[in-house]
Amino acid sequence: MVERVLSPICEISSESMIAGRRPIKVVLHEIFPSENQYQENGISWNEEYTRLNLHSVVGMSIVVEFLTEDRDIPYGHGMTEIRSEDDLPLFEDATMVGHFDKAYVDDVEIDGVTKRCLVAEGTLDEMRYPKFVAWLREHMKDSVIKGSVEIVGKAENEKRIIYSGGWKEQGRVPQFYDYSGYAILGIKPADEAAIVMELNNRKEDKEEETMDEKTKNELMAAVSSAISEANSKWDEYFAKVEAKDAEISQLKADIAQREADIAQLRADYDAANAKAVAAEAGLAEANAAKETVEHELAEANSKIATLEGEAAKSELNAALAPYTDEQRAVAKDEIDAFNANPGSIEINSIIGKICTEMVRIARESRTNETNSANQIDVFGMTEDPGIQKNDDADDEDIF
């Protein structure tokens, strides 16, 4: 028998301690205080039994069913059949991309709620699957990537999962079992129950996860079209960036010239100051010369202040060059205040406000796109006769 549970990926390291091994941490499943609380698929995980069986997580495979030959976008579980002679589920379309080497029970905050969970840590093979690791890191910035942990029965129990108090539709508690695999998913199911599969719960119960070739081709065509459109937008973006880079280079040259002028004025100031010191020891004629030098010094200071203000404005213009007028509008008051009194406001504060607004807009856009993409009900095409489907389930509920 096999049970599957949807779970979130907690984090993926930005750096590898060993070249090519990318650390990853995931939540395998939640643990409940009693069997009266359970997941959408009816499983109620008990902490005592979880601790007794978590040793089987060590060495467990992290797998992906890749959608394309580029081996970058994950799809489903990769299940192909159930072997008739021993009812062993086979996942021949899945590729092992890493493994777990540590498991423990811990409190984890998920969507603002602290939950008792079984957590697993391991590594991904980035040397062999660099595009997939890059895809995973990029998509985890803005969304929750989910996976599915599988458990199977032990050999001494005829490969059947033993439940405390027996099997039941809701609130069944796995007692004797092994953790057998963890699949990273790329397509969000229509509901939580759609991704849960039970096999050999009773001898006659068998289920196979399938997708017809036409649907798969249509899905691949949609993904390819989206990628092509994205590449086209990137080309347009890079052209705009090159133009902005040219503007920035000119502004930097202007700033360099202003700095050279300021340096010359400072040298003139030092020379004038030396003359003023010498003039103090002179007679009336020297005093007159001193007044002349002090006048020149005042003019130099005025020019320095003017040039420093122009340099500050040029620096602000250089920092604002990559952004459109529409993007700059969010910080119009700060920009006007800076231009009126250069240096009165930190440039980083102005740029930070613009970037914060851009991030907010980008997140709203991605959310809209994600909501649109979620209309594809991939797993909904496979009905599970052994599980009660809950149409009101929250797509965002990780368990």
Side-chain angles (χ1 to χ4, degrees):
M1 172 181 179
V2 171
E3 292 253 22
R4 292 183 179 178
V5 180
L6 190 68
S7 54
I9 298 175
C10 290
E11 63 185 46
I12 178 172
S13 175
S14 60
E15 297 181 358
S16 298
M17 299 301 294
I18 300 177
R21 300 182 190 177
R22 179 72 59 174
I24 185 174
K25 180 165 72 174
V26 308
V27 170
L28 296 183
H29 61 71
E30 183 179 357
I31 298 172
F32 300 97
S34 74
E35 64 183 37
N36 294 325
Q37 298 179 22
Y38 43 85
Q39 298 177 177
E40 291 291 333
N41 64 343
I43 298 178
S44 179
W45 299 96
N46 175 279
E47 181 165 343
E48 177 185 357
Y49 300 145
T50 296
R51 290 185 181 276
L52 288 174
N53 296 294
L54 64 78
H55 66 274
S56 60
V57 175
V58 177
M60 184 173 74
S61 298
I62 304 172
V63 301
V64 175
E65 179 187 11
F66 289 113
L67 187 62
T68 67
E69 293 181 356
D70 290 335
R71 302 195 303 185
D72 55 350
I73 302 175
Y75 173 57
H77 295 274
M79 183 176 178
T80 53
E81 64 174 328
I82 302 173
R83 199 162 58 190
S84 58
E85 59 265 30
D86 56 2
D87 291 328
L88 180 70
L90 302 181
F91 300 86
E92 295 172 290
D93 287 343
T95 300
M96 187 175 75
V97 298
H99 69 277
F100 293 113
D101 49 34
K102 182 179 181 181
Y104 52 91
V105 174
D106 197 8
D107 291 327
V108 180
E109 184 175 326
I110 301 174
D111 293 335
V113 179
T114 299
K115 298 182 179 182
R116 195 71 169 164
C117 298
L118 175 60
V119 179
E121 295 182 10
T123 56
L124 298 175
D125 192 339
E126 189 171 12
M127 287 191 293
R128 291 162 182 82
Y129 305 99
K131 294 179 181 179
F132 167 67
V133 173
W135 180 93
L136 187 61
R137 290 184 61 194
E138 181 64 23
H139 284 71
M140 285 184 67
K141 294 177 181 178
D142 303 301
S143 60
V144 176
I145 304 300
K146 296 182 179 180
S148 177
V149 67
E150 304 161 359
I151 62 173
V152 296
K154 294 179 178 292
E156 59 265 30
N157 295 323
E158 297 181 342
K159 301 178 182 178
R160 292 170 178 251
I161 299 172
I162 304 300
Y163 296 90
S164 176
W167 190 96
K168 47 189 171 182
E169 188 72 22
Q170 295 178 332
R172 61 188 179 279
V173 181
Q175 183 175 6
F176 300 105
Y177 60 92
D178 287 325
Y179 293 95
S180 60
Y182 181 82
I184 296 176
L185 305 177
I187 305 298
K188 187 167 71 174
D191 57 54
E192 296 297 325
I195 61 90
V196 177
M197 178 182 293
E198 292 188 28
L199 301 175
N200 298 338
N201 177 51
R202 305 175 187 85
K203 270 294 184 180
E204 67 274 12
D205 288 348
K206 295 184 180 180
E207 181 180 321
E208 184 174 0
E209 184 180 293
T210 60
M211 169 181 268
D212 62 81
E213 192 65 27
K214 179 181 178 182
T215 302
K216 194 167 186 177
N217 288 338
E218 289 176 351
L219 183 58
M220 292 176 64
V223 172
S224 298
S225 176
I227 293 174
S228 297
E229 182 180 354
N231 289 336
S232 176
K233 290 181 178 179
W234 276 112
D235 291 339
E236 180 181 351
Y237 170 75
F238 286 137
K240 292 180 179 179
V241 169
E242 289 179 359
K244 293 297 182 183
D245 285 343
E247 294 180 14
I248 292 171
S249 296
Q250 182 58 51
L251 288 170
K252 287 181 177 179
D254 293 341
I255 291 172
Q257 182 60 50
R258 294 292 198 288
E259 289 176 345
D261 293 341
I262 291 172
Q264 181 60 50
L265 287 169
R266 289 188 187 279
D268 295 342
Y269 168 81
D270 292 339
N273 190 48
K275 291 180 181 179
V277 172
E280 288 179 356
L283 299 173
E285 184 178 353
N287 289 331
K290 176 184 176 182
E291 292 177 359
T292 300
V293 170
E294 288 177 344
H295 177 71
E296 293 174 354
L297 181 60
E299 290 182 345
N301 285 333
S302 176
K303 290 181 180 179
I304 289 173
T306 300
L307 290 173
E308 285 180 337
E310 292 177 358
K313 291 180 181 180
S314 297
E315 184 178 357
L316 174 61
N317 290 334
L320 293 174
Y323 305 101
T324 65
D325 291 339
E326 181 180 355
Q327 291 167 343
R328 297 180 191 179
V330 72
K332 181 179 183 302
D333 293 340
E334 288 82 357
I335 294 172
D336 291 341
F338 184 96
N339 287 330
N341 185 12
S344 60
I345 298 177
E346 288 289 337
I347 292 178
N348 287 341
S349 174
I350 297 173
I351 299 304
K353 185 172 183 179
I354 294 174
C355 291
T356 299
E357 179 65 10
M358 291 173 64
V359 169
R360 184 190 68 78
I361 294 173
R363 284 179 175 171
E364 289 182 354
S365 176
R366 289 193 185 100
T367 299
N368 292 334
E369 292 174 0
T370 300
N371 290 337
S372 177
N374 286 343
Q375 294 177 3
I376 302 178
D377 183 3
V378 177
F379 285 91
M381 292 181 287
T382 303
E383 293 293 332
D384 185 347
I387 303 176
Q388 180 66 38
K389 182 174 180 182
N390 184 356
D391 293 333
D392 295 329
D394 187 355
D395 288 349
E396 293 302 321
D397 184 352
I398 58 174
F399 295 101

